[in-house]
Amino acid sequence: MSYRKYLILVLVIALVSFAAWIILLFRLDPCIKPGEFSVCNPPSTLSLFLFFASLFFALTSTFTLMGFYLRIWLHHHEMYLDHFNISLRQGFLLSLCALLSIGFLLLNVLTWWSGLFLILINVLIELYFTRSV
């Protein structure tokens, strides 16, 4: 497949994921489980899973597209598929860092040093992949 088909596929995934995330945000209440009437002691696991899954795919595809076009703008002499693979990996790592931060915030354990630690882990993982290539 050419890189244009990959980019179109990632763009479609981004649009569908953001649409699903917005629908979940406005239509699905995490405090109400199906068939129950409660005051949000534990949030519904289905709604939280769908929220995080749709946000993960939306952020990964968005960061991938942004990274790909930034790499094309900065480096004109390299092959496009190399840009795409690197951008996909970095988009995955950035969205994982964002979702872990949101998860820590949900658990009330997010502090500045735990956020900095997540960023440091992502930088070390990226350095491992760039050094091994």
Side-chain angles (χ1 to χ4, degrees):
M1 259 187 355
S2 67
Y3 73 94
R4 289 188 193 268
K5 290 181 183 177
Y6 284 124
L7 292 177
I8 290 172
L9 180 66
V10 170
L11 181 64
V12 168
I13 290 171
L15 293 175
V16 169
S17 298
F18 271 118
W21 183 68
I22 289 172
I23 289 171
L24 282 169
L25 203 60
F26 289 113
R27 295 287 181 182
L28 194 60
D29 189 9
C31 295
I32 299 174
K33 295 181 181 178
E36 281 188 25
F37 189 73
S38 68
V39 186
C40 197
N41 289 334
S44 171
T45 54
L46 176 66
S47 61
L48 284 178
F49 173 75
L50 292 175
F51 175 81
F52 280 110
S54 62
L55 188 60
F56 174 75
F57 286 119
L59 288 178
T60 300
S61 55
T62 303
F63 288 146
T64 299
L65 289 174
M66 287 172 42
F68 180 77
Y69 285 116
L70 183 68
R71 286 183 180 283
I72 284 181
W73 184 58
L74 292 176
H75 306 285
H76 299 289
H77 60 281
E78 294 179 9
M79 294 186 64
Y80 291 130
L81 288 179
D82 291 339
H83 291 314
F84 185 77
N85 292 337
I86 294 169
S87 297
L88 184 63
R89 180 183 68 232
Q90 289 176 348
F92 175 80
L93 288 173
L94 282 173
S95 62
L96 193 63
C97 181
L99 289 181
L100 283 174
S101 297
I102 292 172
F104 283 175
L105 188 63
L106 186 67
L107 296 172
N108 292 327
V109 294
L110 182 66
T111 58
W112 65 270
W113 54 269
S114 62
L116 192 63
F117 187 66
L118 285 173
I119 292 171
L120 180 67
I121 288 173
N122 276 340
V123 168
L124 289 175
I125 290 171
E126 183 59 32
L127 283 176
Y128 172 75
F129 281 116
T130 56
R131 295 292 178 191
S132 65
V133 171

